[in-house]
Amino acid sequence: MLIIPLIFLLGASAPTQRAAISDTYVKHEYRIPMRDGVKLYTAVYVPKSADGKHPIMLERTPYSAGPYGANKFPFRFDGSPKFAENDYIFATQDVRGRYMSEGKWEEIRPIKAKPGTKETDESTDAYDTVEFLIKNVPSNNGRVGLWGISYPGFYAAAALNNSHPAIKAVSPQAPVTEWFFGDDVHHNGAFFLQDNFDFYFGFGYDLPAPAEDHPNIESFGRRPDAREFFLKLGSAINADKQYYKGRIPFWLDICNHDAYDDFWKARSTARHLKNVKAAVLTVGGLFDAEDMYGPWDVYAGIKENNKGAINHLVVGPWTHGGWAGGTGSSYAGYKFGMNTSTEFREKIEFPFFDAYLRGDGKFDHPKVQVFDTGANAWRNFAEWPPTKETKPFDLYLAGNGQLSESGNSAGTDRYIVDPADPIPYQPGVITGRRSTYMGEDQTFLKDRKDILRYSTPELSEDLRLCGPVVADLKVSTTGTDADFIVKVIDVTPEGAERLVRWEVMRGKFRKDFSKPVPFKPNVPDTVSFKLNPMFHTFLKGHKLMVQIQSSWFPLIDLNPNKFCNIYKAEPDDYQKATISVHRGTSGSRIRFGRL
C-alpha cells in the first residue's frame, strides 16, 4: 500500500533517465471512456524507433500517472531496461476518482459487475481501457501486459477477472487482496495503527474533481516519539476526532466495521478472480512489511477457481517492492550471496512478459519459486504449498522455556500485559516504521517480562522448514479479550535473535471473524491462527526460538483486554490482564512443514 521510491531503490540518475525517455519516446494523453461514460486519464509512451507492432505494458494506479502534459516525461520506466530496449510501449492510468481521472474513488473497489451490463468495477475499467488502447495506440501489436506493485498490484489482479482477450500476461506484485486478514490494514482482525495513520494523511482525501495535485489533509511529519504519540492518541476513532475530522471516509469505515462483515468480504479480491485467461506471475517478498499476505492469496485464488490457468508464483527475500530496484543481495542481518532482485528482473520478469507479449507463449520457468532465507538458495516447486515434499513438524511449548517434539511437558506459563506499557516492535526511539523490523534482532527485548520465550537445543543438523505455519495456543486471560503475537526466530551461535516470521491474532475472533466473542475470564480456550508461509533453514549450531506476547506497539493498536469495539474504546476500558499459556499434549504448539 505504501508508495515505493523506485528512483531511490535503483540509484538512477533522474535527469539522464528523463532525457533518454523524452529523446526516444513520443507521449500520448488520452481520456478513455468507460462503459458508464466516466473518462480515465491515461498516458502512453510509444518508442520513436519502433518498427512494426509492439506490446503495451499497462499500469493502473491510484498514486498518479503523471507527470501531466504532452511534453513531460517520467524519470524512468518500471522493470528491466530490456523492456525499453525492445521497444515496448508503456501506459499508465489514473484509476477512477484519482488525480486526473473522473468518477468516484473507492478503496479496494469490490469486483461485482455482471457481464453484459453497464455496471463497473476495476475488472471492467481494465477491460474498457485495453479495448481502447489496442484500437487507438500507434504501433501496438494487440497484446497487453498488466503489472503493478502494492495498490497497483491489486488493480493488476482485478484485471484478471473476465479479462479482455488482448490481456496476455499479468503480474500482480505484492498485491493488496485482503484487508482484514493479512494486508496493510489488519492482520487477523488486529489493526495496524501507525502504518495506516501515517498513510492516510497523504492518501485518503477525496478529490472533488480531477486534478494534477492530490493535497494532503495537512503536513504531518515524523514524530519525535511515535510510541508516546500513539499512547496519548488512544483508540483509532480519536485520529478522526483530532486530525481527519471526517475527511477520510475510509478511516470511519474501519472504525465502524470492526468485524469481518459484508464490507470487508466484498473487498476480498482473490475469491473473485474467475475466468482467468491470461498467464499470471504473482510476486511477493518474504520480508514484506505491507503485503506479504497478498501474493500467496492471489496464487491460491487463481489455483482454486481457474483449473488449467497459467499460474506462476515467485517469492524472494525482499521487502515491499524490493525486487523492483537495487540488487537484493542483503536485508537487515541477512546476506544472500547473490543479487536476487537483479536476477528477478532480468531472468524472470522480462522473459515472462516477453514470452506472452512478443513470443510464442513458452516461458521456461518453474510454477513456484521460493527463496530459502537460511540456506540462501532458490527452490522450485510444482505448486504451493508443497505438501508432497514436506512432512508435518510440530514443536510443543515445554517447561523451562524449551520447545519439544513431544507434548509431555504439562504446565502453565504466565505474563502480565499492561496497555500503559506496550512492547515496542523495533528498538530505540520509534519515529517512522522501518522495513527492517521484519528481520530485526529481537535481543533488544531481552529484559521484557511480558514475553514468553521457548527454544530448541542447539541444532545438531540443518532444519529446513517450508510452507504454512500454524500457531495452536491454549490460553486463558483474566480479561475478556487479548491479542496473541507469535514470533519464529533464528538464534545464531553469536546470540543474535533474527526474526524470521511473526503474526498477530485478535483473540475475540478465535472462533469466527464475523462473530467475535469474549473470553470467559480464567477459562482456558483455544486460539489457532496461521502465520504467513515461510521457507527458512535453521542451520546446524543455531536454535529455533518461539516468542509469545500480547502487544507490539504502535505498529498494532492496543487491545484494552476488554471485549468491545476497540476502535472506539474509552480510556477507562484499558486494563491490565494476566495471560496464561498452557502446555502439554492438549496445550500449545506451533505447526510447521519440514522439507
Side-chain angles (χ1 to χ4, degrees):
M1 183 171 74
L2 302 182
I3 300 173
I4 303 164
L6 287 176
I7 295 300
F8 174 76
L9 286 171
L10 290 165
S13 170
T16 302
Q17 292 291 333
R18 184 189 290 272
I21 291 175
S22 62
D23 288 345
T24 56
Y25 275 81
V26 176
K27 182 177 181 180
H28 303 267
E29 293 183 300
Y30 302 103
R31 269 73 178 176
I32 300 179
M34 300 294 101
R35 62 191 62 185
D36 62 350
V38 169
K39 295 179 181 179
L40 306 186
Y41 172 88
T42 309
V44 180
Y45 303 88
V46 179
K48 294 178 180 179
S49 61
D51 295 323
K53 304 295 184 180
H54 300 275
I56 299 172
M57 291 295 295
L58 171 63
E59 180 184 45
R60 307 185 65 241
T61 179
Y63 296 136
S64 174
Y68 303 101
N71 297 318
K72 295 183 178 180
F73 290 80
F75 291 112
R76 63 173 306 277
F77 295 130
D78 292 341
S80 165
K82 289 183 179 180
F83 287 100
E85 290 168 4
N86 286 277
D87 291 330
Y88 271 65
I89 299 167
F90 295 90
T92 308
Q93 181 178 78
D94 286 331
V95 296
R96 184 177 292 243
R98 300 293 290 178
Y99 291 90
M100 291 298 287
S101 286
E102 300 173 351
K104 180 175 175 54
W105 160 251
E106 188 174 358
E107 293 273 7
I108 304 296
R109 190 165 154 226
I111 299 174
K112 60 182 181 181
K114 297 178 182 177
T117 70
K118 286 192 175 183
E119 291 181 325
T120 65
D121 57 21
E122 296 307 336
S123 299
T124 66
D125 282 359
Y127 191 105
D128 295 347
T129 296
V130 170
E131 178 72 8
F132 180 94
L133 292 176
I134 61 174
K135 290 181 178 179
N136 293 276
V137 172
S139 303
N140 85 84
N141 70 354
R143 298 184 185 185
V144 179
L146 274 88
W147 58 358
I149 298 172
S150 193
Y151 221 142
F154 156 74
Y155 292 106
L160 288 165
N161 184 62
N162 295 312
S163 61
H164 192 287
I167 299 176
K168 301 299 183 182
V170 178
S171 183
Q173 302 181 2
V176 172
T177 67
E178 180 59 79
W179 267 358
F180 199 81
F181 294 145
D183 285 321
D184 291 307
V185 180
H186 304 89
H187 282 213
N188 292 318
F191 181 52
F192 271 43
L193 176 62
Q194 183 179 0
D195 278 3
N196 284 275
F197 179 87
D198 291 350
F199 179 74
Y200 279 102
F201 259 98
F203 182 79
Y205 185 72
D206 281 343
L207 290 174
E212 294 186 8
D213 294 324
H214 190 124
N216 296 345
I217 285 183
E218 58 190 80
S219 176
F220 197 83
R222 294 165 71 92
R223 296 157 297 272
D225 191 327
R227 187 174 184 272
E228 292 305 313
F229 174 86
F230 285 106
L231 279 173
K232 183 179 179 180
L233 178 70
S235 59
I237 195 64
N238 293 330
D240 181 73
K241 293 177 179 178
Q242 299 178 29
Y243 297 99
Y244 298 150
K245 302 184 187 302
R247 294 170 292 180
I248 305 292
F250 186 64
W251 192 269
L252 294 175
D253 287 333
I254 293 171
C255 294
N256 291 327
H257 297 276
D258 65 326
Y260 192 60
D261 58 12
D262 290 342
F263 177 85
W264 297 113
K265 291 176 183 177
R267 288 161 173 77
S268 180
T269 305
R271 71 171 66 182
H272 296 293
L273 298 181
K274 306 289 180 63
N275 196 21
V276 172
K277 308 183 211 60
V280 185
L281 173 66
T282 305
V283 184
L286 290 164
F287 299 109
D288 188 337
E290 286 86 8
D291 298 301
M292 189 194 304
Y293 183 95
W296 310 106
D297 195 34
V298 166
Y299 170 82
I302 294 172
K303 177 183 174 184
E304 180 179 349
N305 298 321
N306 301 272
K307 186 176 181 180
I310 300 172
N311 189 21
H312 293 271
L313 174 68
V314 176
V315 184
W318 303 311
T319 57
H320 193 58
W323 52 89
T327 64
S329 61
S330 63
Y331 166 76
Y334 295 90
K335 297 188 182 301
F336 307 123
M338 64 185 79
N339 294 332
T340 62
S341 299
T342 306
E343 291 179 7
F344 167 77
R345 294 191 299 272
E346 303 299 316
K347 298 180 180 179
I348 302 174
E349 183 180 55
F350 177 76
F352 166 75
F353 279 110
D354 211 47
Y356 296 103
L357 300 184
R358 291 199 312 161
D360 56 6
K362 294 181 180 179
F363 177 55
D364 185 20
H365 193 267
K367 292 296 183 183
V368 177
Q369 189 173 51
V370 184
F371 194 83
D372 182 339
T373 52
N376 293 338
W378 287 102
R379 309 286 180 177
N380 302 331
F381 303 97
E383 62 179 359
W384 190 272
T387 51
K388 294 180 181 179
E389 290 92 342
T390 57
K391 296 180 180 179
F393 181 73
D394 297 353
L395 287 175
Y396 290 84
L397 308 188
N400 299 316
Q402 299 180 53
L403 289 172
S404 170
E405 292 184 56
S406 66
N408 298 327
S409 180
T412 302
D413 299 316
R414 296 180 176 86
Y415 59 90
I416 296 173
V417 55
D418 183 0
D421 184 25
I423 299 168
Y425 66 91
Q426 65 186 34
V429 175
I430 298 173
T431 53
R433 194 265 292 151
R434 303 194 300 258
S435 65
T436 51
Y437 92 86
M438 293 288 290
E440 197 77 64
D441 183 347
Q442 299 299 295
T443 54
F444 77 97
L445 297 172
K446 60 184 176 61
D447 295 328
R448 297 287 307 208
K449 305 301 182 184
D450 46 359
I451 300 175
L452 298 181
R453 300 168 176 84
Y454 305 87
S455 69
T456 65
E458 185 177 292
L459 297 173
S460 58
E461 60 181 7
D462 291 353
L463 174 63
R464 182 168 290 120
L465 301 181
C466 177
V469 182
V470 179
D472 289 329
L473 305 182
K474 180 64 70 70
V475 299
S476 56
T477 174
T478 56
T480 52
D481 192 13
D483 288 348
F484 295 93
I485 295 156
V486 170
K487 299 185 290 188
V488 179
I489 294 166
D490 186 339
V491 183
T492 70
E494 296 76 25
E497 298 175 359
R498 296 188 301 188
L499 187 61
V500 177
R501 186 61 72 243
W502 75 273
E503 193 54 274
V504 58
M505 177 71 187
R506 185 136 284 174
K508 65 181 180 181
F509 297 117
R510 66 197 180 281
K511 300 184 185 298
D512 192 324
F513 283 99
S514 299
K515 299 176 181 178
V517 293
F519 285 91
K520 294 181 180 179
N522 300 310
V523 175
D525 208 338
T526 298
V527 176
S528 182
F529 60 99
K530 293 181 179 179
L531 287 69
N532 278 311
M534 59 180 278
F535 191 7
H536 186 81
T537 296
F538 295 82
L539 300 176
K540 178 182 177 180
H542 290 224
K543 299 177 182 179
L544 187 158
M545 176 183 284
V546 169
Q547 293 184 0
I548 300 173
Q549 58 196 63
S550 289
S551 63
W552 224 20
F553 189 76
L555 184 70
I556 301 166
D557 67 335
L558 289 176
N559 192 315
N561 300 308
K562 177 181 178 181
F563 183 79
C564 62
N565 180 338
I566 294 175
Y567 306 105
K568 300 179 180 180
E570 298 291 341
D572 290 345
D573 292 327
Y574 293 87
Q575 57 192 22
K576 292 183 181 181
T578 298
I579 306 294
S580 298
V581 178
H582 306 280
R583 307 189 310 269
T585 305
S586 60
S588 302
R589 62 177 176 169
I590 313 298
R591 291 188 279 140
F592 302 95
R594 184 172 186 175
L595 187 64

